[in-house]
Amino acid sequence: MLEHIWWSLPLTITVFYLARILSIKLKLPLLNPLLVAIAIIVPLLIFTNTPYEHYFAGSKILNDLLQPAVVALAFPLYEQMHQIRAQWKSLFSICLAGSLVAMFTGTSIALWLGATPDIAASILPKSVTTPIAMAVADSIGGVPAISAACVIFVGMLGAMFGHSLFDALRIRTHASRGLAMGTASHALGTARCAEINYIEGAYSSLALMTCGIITSLLAPFIFPVILHLFG
């Protein structure tokens, strides 16, 4: 029975749904539905000695739905297109600066602390969505699996604490909050923005896509520079 994992799909949906209800009621940043679901499902798989491959095979449909879900983020972006056209120079400059800062900071700190070049390369694309991050890491000599873990960690941090930080810094503009979340916390941050405010979700979607393109194009040139400066 465990090999077929017929229960992995209903288990995943049920745990995430209950975690979401708990998060809405208690309003605690640490009770992020994704984090709670991971904290429940991973120990369960370990306790039942269930290989991750079997669990993934049973809930593969959820992974397949990720692509249309990301495409759906373009709809609120389309509805803000008139503002984006008027501000495209500023928006592109913000995304470019954010992408460069994201690539330089994590990678340089890792090298400064003694990380090997392959680990540093894996950390470099931490602020873009998982498929792009894994491809970028592979192209510059990193480990895609480590990049995926970094992306999830950074995304959860942004989704849990991003808006609390905005409130503490008195950043109220929806466009600014959305751009910052999409630049630093990719899809998880964008999903959180979409839950809170429609305009935030639109600008976060824009930053998510723009920063992904910028990072994939510049990473092969930026990484050797970082290695030369901090390696």
Side-chain angles (χ1 to χ4, degrees):
M1 183 182 297
L2 289 179
E3 290 184 359
H4 296 290
I5 314 300
W6 58 268
W7 46 264
S8 63
L9 179 61
L11 171 70
T12 305
I13 294 174
T14 302
V15 169
F16 185 84
Y17 178 73
L18 295 176
R20 180 174 169 78
I21 293 176
L22 185 66
S23 176
I24 293 173
K25 286 187 175 181
L26 299 182
K27 299 184 184 302
L28 295 175
L30 287 175
L31 293 179
N32 180 274
L34 178 60
L35 181 61
V36 173
I38 291 174
I40 293 175
I41 293 176
V42 170
L44 179 62
L45 296 181
I46 295 174
F47 178 75
T48 58
N49 198 27
T50 303
Y52 172 75
E53 292 77 11
H54 293 171
Y55 166 78
F56 180 80
S59 55
K60 187 176 181 299
I61 186 173
L62 293 178
N63 187 71
D64 294 337
L65 289 173
L66 284 176
Q67 295 181 2
V70 172
V71 173
L73 293 173
F75 182 72
L77 181 64
Y78 171 77
E79 293 195 327
Q80 302 297 321
M81 191 58 67
H82 59 288
Q83 296 187 33
I84 293 172
R85 285 198 187 100
Q87 304 170 344
W88 72 269
K89 292 182 180 179
S90 298
L91 295 175
F92 178 78
S93 299
I94 291 169
C95 291
L96 176 61
S99 297
L100 291 174
V101 169
M103 286 187 282
F104 266 95
T105 52
T107 311
S108 58
I109 291 174
L111 290 170
W112 180 63
L113 293 175
T116 58
D118 59 328
I119 297 298
S122 305
I123 294 173
L124 184 142
K126 66 185 182 337
S127 293
V128 297
T129 192
T130 305
I132 297 177
M134 295 178 70
V136 169
D138 187 56
S139 69
I140 59 176
V143 182
I146 296 178
S147 293
C150 292
V151 167
I152 294 173
F153 178 72
V154 170
M156 286 195 298
L157 282 180
M160 289 189 294
F161 303 112
H163 284 87
S164 298
L165 181 60
F166 294 149
D167 293 338
L169 296 175
R170 298 183 180 180
I171 299 174
R172 309 296 184 190
T173 308
H174 294 308
S176 301
R177 292 158 72 106
L179 286 170
M181 286 289 278
T183 299
S185 299
H186 49 83
L188 291 178
T190 299
R192 179 61 177 157
C193 286
E195 291 179 356
I196 294 176
N197 182 271
Y198 199 73
I199 297 177
E200 278 190 32
Y203 278 92
S204 188
S205 299
L206 173 64
L208 164 70
M209 293 183 291
T210 305
C211 292
I213 294 171
I214 291 173
T215 300
S216 62
L217 292 176
L218 296 185
F221 304 99
I222 295 295
F223 184 61
V225 175
I226 298 175
L227 278 180
H228 176 72
L229 294 175
F230 301 98

